[in-house]
Amino acid sequence: MKFYQKIISLPAFPRGCHLITSFIYKEIPEISHIKIGMFSVFIRHTSASLTINENADPDVPHDLETLLCSWAKDDFLYRHTEEGPDDMSAHGKASLMGAQLSIPVKNGQLLLGTWQGIYLCEHRLHAGCRQLVLTLWGEEHPDK
């Protein structure tokens, strides 16, 4: 069994859902060494989240953001308002979506479905860089 782990920084993204699957593959090329295993990605923030969803139709990220904004509105009467009007709604959206994903790995590939991709969901209007913890473990190919 082999383990790999690294903390990476993503650039600042505007509010919305952003496909990051290819970015993750670039950051942890060790996936190609794994015959069978698991991959975990964890976001170290309370106002952004991760999800797996359709990666083919460009309307999906827009519609996901519209749905999230209908669930947790910026103008709701929150008590936690010291960090701006979008902060508590961002915390709520992050709690609904989640901070961690686990994806099986086989023969050097994430076993995502045909139309699935990994998204960073940025819930703040003007957020900074976000950090992800990438953890990969599994049995390596004999020739690696």
Side-chain angles (χ1 to χ4, degrees):
M1 180 87 53
K2 190 73 172 185
F3 290 86
Y4 302 94
Q5 186 174 71
K6 62 173 72 170
I7 298 172
I8 64 167
S9 291
L10 295 174
F13 284 100
R15 178 186 262 184
C17 299
H18 306 278
L19 194 59
I20 60 168
T21 312
S22 60
F23 185 84
I24 286 174
Y25 268 112
K26 286 180 201 168
E27 292 295 320
I28 192 148
E30 296 88 353
I31 288 175
S32 66
H33 302 171
I34 301 297
K35 180 179 176 184
I36 186 169
M38 288 297 294
F39 174 72
S40 168
V41 57
F42 174 79
I43 190 162
R44 299 176 72 185
H45 302 277
T46 60
S47 56
S49 60
L50 300 168
T51 193
I52 294 173
N53 216 301
E54 181 182 326
N55 66 357
D57 186 335
D59 289 333
V60 169
H62 174 270
D63 290 347
L64 284 173
E65 175 60 16
T66 301
L67 182 60
L68 287 167
C69 286
S70 74
W71 289 343
K73 298 179 183 293
D74 289 347
D75 62 355
F76 189 77
L77 297 176
Y78 300 110
R79 292 176 69 177
H80 174 75
T81 59
E82 291 142 13
E83 297 176 58
D86 66 335
D87 188 52
M88 189 57 221
S89 62
H91 293 314
K93 293 170 191 174
S95 290
L96 289 168
M97 300 297 286
Q100 188 267 335
L101 301 171
S102 295
I103 305 164
V105 177
K106 184 175 181 181
N107 294 327
Q109 296 290 314
L110 298 175
L111 286 182
L112 292 166
T114 302
W115 307 112
Q116 289 182 321
I118 301 168
Y119 284 88
L120 165 75
C121 300
E122 178 53 67
H123 306 304
R124 296 297 305 262
L125 289 169
H126 305 287
C129 297
R130 299 299 191 170
Q131 288 188 337
L132 301 179
V133 180
L134 308 180
T135 306
L136 173 66
W137 66 98
E139 179 184 327
E140 286 193 309
H141 287 285
D143 58 337
K144 298 289 181 182

